[in-house]
mmCIF file of all heavy atoms in Angstrom:
data_model
loop_
_atom_site.group_PDB
_atom_site.id
_atom_site.type_symbol
_atom_site.label_atom_id
_atom_site.label_comp_id
_atom_site.label_asym_id
_atom_site.label_seq_id
_atom_site.Cartn_x
_atom_site.Cartn_y
_atom_site.Cartn_z
ATOM 1 N N LYS P 24 -14.989 9.798 11.745
ATOM 2 C CA LYS P 24 -15.112 9.948 13.193
ATOM 3 C C LYS P 24 -15.830 11.262 13.497
ATOM 4 O O LYS P 24 -16.694 11.342 14.398
ATOM 5 C CB LYS P 24 -13.779 9.880 13.912
ATOM 6 C CG LYS P 24 -13.258 8.424 14.039
ATOM 7 C CD LYS P 24 -11.891 8.503 14.762
ATOM 8 C CE LYS P 24 -12.026 8.937 16.193
ATOM 9 N NZ LYS P 24 -10.683 8.865 16.906
ATOM 10 N N GLN P 28 -19.383 11.820 15.338
ATOM 11 C CA GLN P 28 -19.432 12.680 16.516
ATOM 12 C C GLN P 28 -20.504 13.746 16.345
ATOM 13 O O GLN P 28 -21.332 13.927 17.291
ATOM 14 C CB GLN P 28 -18.079 13.400 16.733
ATOM 15 C CG GLN P 28 -18.020 14.357 17.904
ATOM 16 C CD GLN P 28 -16.748 15.109 17.973
ATOM 17 O OE1 GLN P 28 -15.907 15.056 17.034
ATOM 18 N NE2 GLN P 28 -16.501 15.794 19.092
ATOM 19 N N GLU P 43 -23.631 26.015 17.722
ATOM 20 C CA GLU P 43 -23.516 25.221 18.968
ATOM 21 C C GLU P 43 -22.710 23.902 18.666
ATOM 22 O O GLU P 43 -21.977 23.432 19.561
ATOM 23 C CB GLU P 43 -24.944 24.845 19.505
ATOM 24 C CG GLU P 43 -24.941 24.056 20.856
ATOM 25 C CD GLU P 43 -24.290 24.832 21.913
ATOM 26 O OE1 GLU P 43 -24.143 26.121 21.866
ATOM 27 O OE2 GLU P 43 -23.910 24.162 22.980
ATOM 28 N N LEU P 44 -22.932 23.341 17.520
ATOM 29 C CA LEU P 44 -22.168 22.191 17.130
ATOM 30 C C LEU P 44 -20.632 22.481 17.112
ATOM 31 O O LEU P 44 -19.831 21.599 17.592
ATOM 32 C CB LEU P 44 -22.509 21.655 15.715
ATOM 33 C CG LEU P 44 -23.914 20.875 15.619
ATOM 34 C CD1 LEU P 44 -24.271 20.622 14.256
ATOM 35 C CD2 LEU P 44 -23.780 19.523 16.480
ATOM 36 N N LEU P 62 -23.938 14.807 5.973
ATOM 37 C CA LEU P 62 -25.045 14.284 6.625
ATOM 38 C C LEU P 62 -26.379 14.716 5.954
ATOM 39 O O LEU P 62 -27.337 13.917 5.894
ATOM 40 C CB LEU P 62 -25.145 14.777 8.159
ATOM 41 C CG LEU P 62 -24.058 14.305 9.013
ATOM 42 C CD1 LEU P 62 -24.070 15.030 10.358
ATOM 43 C CD2 LEU P 62 -24.212 12.707 9.303
ATOM 44 N N VAL P 95 -38.260 -2.275 12.859
ATOM 45 C CA VAL P 95 -39.257 -2.975 13.643
ATOM 46 C C VAL P 95 -38.510 -3.435 14.925
ATOM 47 O O VAL P 95 -37.387 -3.916 14.924
ATOM 48 C CB VAL P 95 -39.728 -4.318 12.869
ATOM 49 C CG1 VAL P 95 -40.455 -5.208 13.812
ATOM 50 C CG2 VAL P 95 -40.445 -3.940 11.640
ATOM 51 N N ILE P 150 -47.109 2.207 5.598
ATOM 52 C CA ILE P 150 -46.539 3.539 5.832
ATOM 53 C C ILE P 150 -45.707 3.905 4.625
ATOM 54 O O ILE P 150 -45.751 5.091 4.236
ATOM 55 C CB ILE P 150 -45.605 3.428 7.017
ATOM 56 C CG1 ILE P 150 -46.453 3.284 8.289
ATOM 57 C CG2 ILE P 150 -44.838 4.774 7.206
ATOM 58 C CD1 ILE P 150 -45.705 2.969 9.556
ATOM 59 N N ARG P 153 -38.826 2.388 3.870
ATOM 60 C CA ARG P 153 -37.949 1.218 3.760
ATOM 61 C C ARG P 153 -37.638 0.686 5.157
ATOM 62 O O ARG P 153 -37.189 1.514 6.011
ATOM 63 C CB ARG P 153 -36.740 1.613 3.010
ATOM 64 C CG ARG P 153 -35.736 0.445 2.810
ATOM 65 C CD ARG P 153 -34.601 0.779 1.790
ATOM 66 N NE ARG P 153 -33.841 1.940 2.263
ATOM 67 C CZ ARG P 153 -32.690 1.774 2.926
ATOM 68 N NH1 ARG P 153 -32.169 0.599 3.190
ATOM 69 N NH2 ARG P 153 -31.983 2.836 3.214
ATOM 70 N N VAL P 154 -37.806 -0.625 5.267
ATOM 71 C CA VAL P 154 -37.390 -1.281 6.544
ATOM 72 C C VAL P 154 -35.945 -1.527 6.576
ATOM 73 O O VAL P 154 -35.408 -2.185 5.602
ATOM 74 C CB VAL P 154 -38.203 -2.548 6.835
ATOM 75 C CG1 VAL P 154 -37.785 -3.195 8.183
ATOM 76 C CG2 VAL P 154 -39.696 -2.375 6.792
ATOM 77 N N GLY P 163 -35.107 -13.245 28.506
ATOM 78 C CA GLY P 163 -34.051 -14.089 28.983
ATOM 79 C C GLY P 163 -32.668 -13.578 28.533
ATOM 80 O O GLY P 163 -32.585 -12.730 27.690
ATOM 81 N N THR P 168 -22.417 -13.367 21.673
ATOM 82 C CA THR P 168 -22.410 -13.173 20.202
ATOM 83 C C THR P 168 -23.590 -12.425 19.723
ATOM 84 O O THR P 168 -23.642 -11.885 18.626
ATOM 85 C CB THR P 168 -22.283 -14.428 19.376
ATOM 86 O OG1 THR P 168 -23.459 -15.256 19.533
ATOM 87 C CG2 THR P 168 -21.001 -15.264 19.868
ATOM 88 N N PRO P 179 -40.091 -21.654 30.369
ATOM 89 C CA PRO P 179 -39.148 -22.727 30.413
ATOM 90 C C PRO P 179 -38.645 -23.433 29.186
ATOM 91 O O PRO P 179 -37.549 -23.882 29.075
ATOM 92 C CB PRO P 179 -39.750 -23.765 31.404
ATOM 93 C CG PRO P 179 -40.771 -22.973 32.222
ATOM 94 C CD PRO P 179 -41.195 -21.871 31.243
ATOM 95 N N PHE P 199 -31.017 -7.933 15.092
ATOM 96 C CA PHE P 199 -30.286 -7.612 16.347
ATOM 97 C C PHE P 199 -30.950 -8.178 17.490
ATOM 98 O O PHE P 199 -32.287 -7.921 17.658
ATOM 99 C CB PHE P 199 -30.096 -6.131 16.415
ATOM 100 C CG PHE P 199 -29.417 -5.524 15.263
ATOM 101 C CD1 PHE P 199 -30.203 -5.103 14.110
ATOM 102 C CD2 PHE P 199 -28.074 -5.472 15.120
ATOM 103 C CE1 PHE P 199 -29.644 -4.606 12.966
ATOM 104 C CE2 PHE P 199 -27.473 -5.001 13.936
ATOM 105 C CZ PHE P 199 -28.197 -4.566 12.908
ATOM 106 N N ILE P 200 -30.298 -8.960 18.302
ATOM 107 C CA ILE P 200 -30.916 -9.669 19.523
ATOM 108 C C ILE P 200 -30.219 -9.126 20.696
ATOM 109 O O ILE P 200 -28.961 -9.011 20.784
ATOM 110 C CB ILE P 200 -30.768 -11.143 19.365
ATOM 111 C CG1 ILE P 200 -31.145 -11.722 18.035
ATOM 112 C CG2 ILE P 200 -31.461 -11.875 20.533
ATOM 113 C CD1 ILE P 200 -32.652 -11.539 17.806
ATOM 114 N N GLY P 293 -58.900 -19.151 49.818
ATOM 115 C CA GLY P 293 -60.082 -18.497 50.314
ATOM 116 C C GLY P 293 -60.055 -17.033 50.553
ATOM 117 O O GLY P 293 -61.064 -16.459 51.026
ATOM 118 N N LYS P 307 -58.038 -17.433 35.245
ATOM 119 C CA LYS P 307 -57.317 -18.423 34.433
ATOM 120 C C LYS P 307 -56.160 -17.727 33.630
ATOM 121 O O LYS P 307 -55.091 -18.338 33.347
ATOM 122 C CB LYS P 307 -58.275 -19.058 33.372
ATOM 123 C CG LYS P 307 -59.226 -20.089 33.988
ATOM 124 C CD LYS P 307 -60.094 -20.688 32.864
ATOM 125 C CE LYS P 307 -61.016 -21.727 33.493
ATOM 126 N NZ LYS P 307 -61.818 -22.424 32.430
ATOM 127 N N ASN P 348 -22.678 2.503 41.338
ATOM 128 C CA ASN P 348 -22.455 3.983 41.542
ATOM 129 C C ASN P 348 -22.859 4.805 40.363
ATOM 130 O O ASN P 348 -22.055 5.563 39.738
ATOM 131 C CB ASN P 348 -21.049 4.229 41.903
ATOM 132 C CG ASN P 348 -20.728 5.622 42.301
ATOM 133 O OD1 ASN P 348 -21.645 6.347 42.667
ATOM 134 N ND2 ASN P 348 -19.512 6.113 42.109
ATOM 135 N N PRO P 349 -24.109 4.626 39.903
ATOM 136 C CA PRO P 349 -24.562 5.398 38.716
ATOM 137 C C PRO P 349 -24.904 6.878 39.003
ATOM 138 O O PRO P 349 -24.945 7.278 40.117
ATOM 139 C CB PRO P 349 -25.910 4.718 38.304
ATOM 140 C CG PRO P 349 -26.471 4.226 39.635
ATOM 141 C CD PRO P 349 -25.237 3.875 40.473
ATOM 142 N N ALA P 413 -24.006 3.928 7.454
ATOM 143 C CA ALA P 413 -24.211 5.048 6.527
ATOM 144 C C ALA P 413 -23.000 5.969 6.684
ATOM 145 O O ALA P 413 -22.496 6.552 5.627
ATOM 146 C CB ALA P 413 -25.439 5.789 6.921
#
Side-chain angles (χ1 to χ4, degrees):
K24 284 182 65 176
Q28 180 186 9
E43 184 63 18
L44 285 171
L62 291 171
V95 172
I150 294 170
R153 178 168 65 95
V154 180
T168 67
F199 304 88
I200 310 294
K307 288 183 179 180
N348 187 23

